[in-house]
Structures are given as structure tokens and as C-alpha cells.
């Protein structure tokens, strides 16, 4: 509910992205702010979608499970944005 009240766009992604999108709808997030087009898609596609959707210099907040965080971090490391998790 707190996310819906902020009025910020939400991209629902990952293997449980469709469930997250449904939860956001029940919380009152408008269809205009909810994007579930990459739900269930590989993380490479999610990152590309996020970068295309965001405005330069604007922050994006990503809420993840631990497993999803490791998968996303692996994708970001493959792109050279962060170090591999276990190599820090």
C-alpha cells in the first residue's frame, strides 16, 4: 500500500512478477504506473527494460528476494557495473 501511495512507477519482474503485479493492483496502484511486461523474463531483459524506462540521472529502487538479488547482481557483474558477489 505504501508503494501505491507514492505514485511512482513499478516494474514487476522476476519469476514471481505476475504475483507482485496482482498484489500492487489490489494495493491500489493504477494501471498507468504498473508495468508487468517483463515478469518472468530473464534478468538481462529486465535490466534493458529498466534502463529504457528510466530517465537519465533518476534513481530506481529494486525490491528483491535474496535469490533474485544474486541473479540480478550476476547480470550487472556480467555488464561490468558491479563486482561478482563472491569476489568482493
Amino acid at each position: 500500500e505504501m508503494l501505491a501511495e507514492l505514485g511512482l512507477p513499478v516494474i514487476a519482474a522476476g519469476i514471481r512478477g505476475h504475483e507482485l503485479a496482482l498484489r500492487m493492483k489490489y494495493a491500489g496502484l493504477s494501471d498507468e504506473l504498473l508495468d508487468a511486461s517483463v515478469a518472468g523474463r530473464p534478468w538481462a531483459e529486465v535490466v534493458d527494460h529498466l534502463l529504457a524506462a528510466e530517465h537519465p540521472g533518476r534513481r530506481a529502487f529494486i525490491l528483491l528476494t535474496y535469490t533474485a538479488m544474486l541473479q540480478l547482481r550476476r547480470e550487472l557483474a556480467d555488464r561490468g557495473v558491479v563486482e561478482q558477489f563472491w569476489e568482493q
Side-chain angles (χ1 to χ4, degrees):
E1 288 83 12
M2 291 171 55
L3 281 175
E5 291 172 7
L6 292 175
L8 299 173
V10 172
I11 298 173
I15 60 173
R16 303 198 57 192
H18 293 292
E19 295 171 32
L20 174 62
L22 182 61
R23 179 67 188 101
M24 292 291 99
K25 286 186 95 164
Y26 280 116
L29 189 70
S30 70
D31 288 338
E32 295 80 32
L33 293 175
L34 181 58
D35 178 357
S37 64
V38 290
R41 306 298 306 155
W43 284 109
E45 291 180 34
V46 174
V47 171
D48 290 341
H49 185 76
L50 177 64
L51 292 173
E54 283 299 309
H55 301 286
R58 188 170 175 200
R59 289 185 182 186
F61 297 93
I62 303 173
L63 307 174
L64 301 166
T65 64
Y66 181 76
T67 302
M69 181 271 300
L70 292 176
Q71 294 168 345
L72 176 60
R73 188 170 181 90
R74 186 176 310 116
E75 174 59 32
L76 294 175
D78 289 347
R79 293 176 184 230
V81 178
V82 298
E83 294 179 24
Q84 290 289 351
F85 184 71
W86 299 112
E87 295 177 10
Q88 293 181 355

